[in-house]
Amino acid sequence: MPKHVAIIMDGNGRWAQKQGQERLFGHQHGIRPIRTTMDACRKMGIRYLTLYAFSTENWKRPHDEVEGLWDLLTQAISDETETLLKNNIRLRVIGNIAALSPKAKRSLQECLEATQHNTDFVIILALNYGGRNEIVTAAQTLAQQALDGKIKPQDIDEQTFANAMMTAAIPDPDLLIRTGGELRISNFLLWQAAYAELYFTPVLWPDFDEQDFKDAITAFQQRERRLGTITAQYL
Ligand code: IPE
Ligand code: IPE
Ligand code: MG
């Protein structure tokens, strides 16, 4: 079983357009599969789930879609807080949160604080997240520490760097799923996914159900994770 699954939830817009609806209709229908996936993870004993909900590049979309998406995300976070509390689930966030609207920040902050001591399961939302932005921010943090004399440049190693990332203390994802049929990473978890198994499915995110998730896990279990070694060493 993977410890940590990360998902690029893609295909909402196409799902809506296929039925002659506005793109936002697709985003509205993208909330249900989040619950389904979270429940499936918990049943299977997976401890961490990271969901790519809004990228640093998604601001380039039409204003109405961007607004609608944030309203939806803000509402979903408020609505789910009680369920997270009841089920001992902790919410974490990666991404540049400072740039969000006061309303989005407030609902997020409330949920983060309310669930901060929960231990059964961690859901990590990537909001205004970009992998390159995260790496640059970590580099700035470390450069400042070096300037302040707290660390020496030559002491910076992979562990130091990992600790300066927004995902500090979260294990790297073992499995990275992308729905919607595109075969790319789109600036998601560039550092952390170095050895993740990649799984691409044409299923559009609003249609993604428990069986689709199980199929991804089954595919993961059939992979041979050599991590740089050869088969004989791995087995
Ligand atoms: C993914 O669905 C959701 C977000 C990026 C927020 P899209 O909106 O990218 O859907 P497609 O790829 O256009 O179908
Ligand atoms: C990636 O999907 C971002 C999220 C799922 C939040 P996009 O739809 O934005 O990615 P591209 O534009 O197809 O690369
Ligand atoms: Mg897309």
Side-chain angles (χ1 to χ4, degrees):
M1 235 359 124
K3 245 196 207 149
H4 181 177
V5 177
I7 307 184
I8 302 174
M9 310 182 287
D10 196 24
N12 294 350
R14 278 164 286 164
W15 185 87
Q17 281 164 339
K18 261 194 355 195
Q19 21 200 322
Q21 300 274 359
E22 297 284 321
R23 294 177 55 86
L24 259 178
F25 182 72
H27 297 314
Q28 284 157 5
H29 285 264
I31 304 293
R32 186 196 49 81
I34 296 181
R35 280 196 213 98
T36 312
T37 310
M38 214 160 68
D39 291 345
C41 282
R42 291 167 58 230
K43 270 193 254 170
M44 292 172 164
I46 296 162
R47 291 282 311 278
Y48 298 87
L49 175 67
T50 299
L51 300 173
Y52 203 7
F54 196 93
S55 77
T56 47
E57 286 73 31
N58 287 146
W59 296 107
K60 295 180 209 156
R61 293 188 178 200
H63 180 74
D64 284 357
E65 181 174 348
V66 170
E67 286 280 291
L69 257 170
W70 281 112
D71 284 347
L72 204 63
L73 285 166
T74 307
Q75 192 60 47
I77 291 165
S78 303
D79 291 348
E80 291 305 309
T81 303
E82 217 174 285
T83 311
L84 299 187
L85 281 173
K86 203 171 69 202
N87 293 308
N88 197 17
I89 300 170
R90 177 173 182 187
L91 175 74
R92 290 193 56 170
V93 171
I94 54 173
N96 183 5
I97 300 313
L100 306 190
S101 75
K103 193 164 162 243
K105 267 192 275 200
R106 207 175 320 119
S107 98
L108 205 53
Q109 211 55 47
E110 276 172 18
C111 189
L112 289 170
E113 275 170 29
T115 64
Q116 64 182 328
H117 299 299
N118 291 352
T119 50
D120 264 12
F121 185 78
V122 184
I123 171 122
I124 301 139
L125 286 184
L127 294 174
N128 191 19
Y129 175 85
R132 286 185 170 179
N133 171 268
E134 184 186 25
I135 292 169
V136 168
T137 306
Q140 286 176 346
T141 304
L142 294 171
Q144 190 60 53
Q145 288 176 6
L147 261 182
D148 296 344
K150 292 186 188 134
I151 54 169
K152 293 198 195 89
Q154 61 270 29
D155 293 339
I156 298 172
D157 58 13
E158 291 188 12
Q159 195 53 55
T160 328
F161 212 95
N163 291 341
M165 304 284 273
M166 294 157 178
T167 48
I170 297 171
D172 285 341
D174 317 280
L175 170 63
L176 173 60
I177 299 173
R178 180 172 189 143
T179 65
E182 309 291 0
L183 306 181
R184 54 177 171 258
I185 299 295
S186 299
N187 205 9
F188 190 42
L189 299 178
L190 297 181
W191 169 274
Q192 298 85 346
Y195 265 106
E197 293 296 328
L198 307 179
Y199 181 85
F200 298 97
T201 167
V203 175
L204 303 172
W205 178 249
D207 286 331
F208 192 78
D209 63 16
E210 187 170 359
Q211 190 53 52
D212 295 317
F213 186 71
K214 284 185 180 157
D215 291 346
I217 299 299
T218 305
F220 171 84
Q221 289 170 333
Q222 286 161 356
R223 306 273 179 95
E224 188 183 290
R225 302 194 77 203
R226 289 189 292 276
L227 307 170
T229 65
I230 62 169
T231 302
Q233 291 174 299
Y234 168 76
L235 296 173

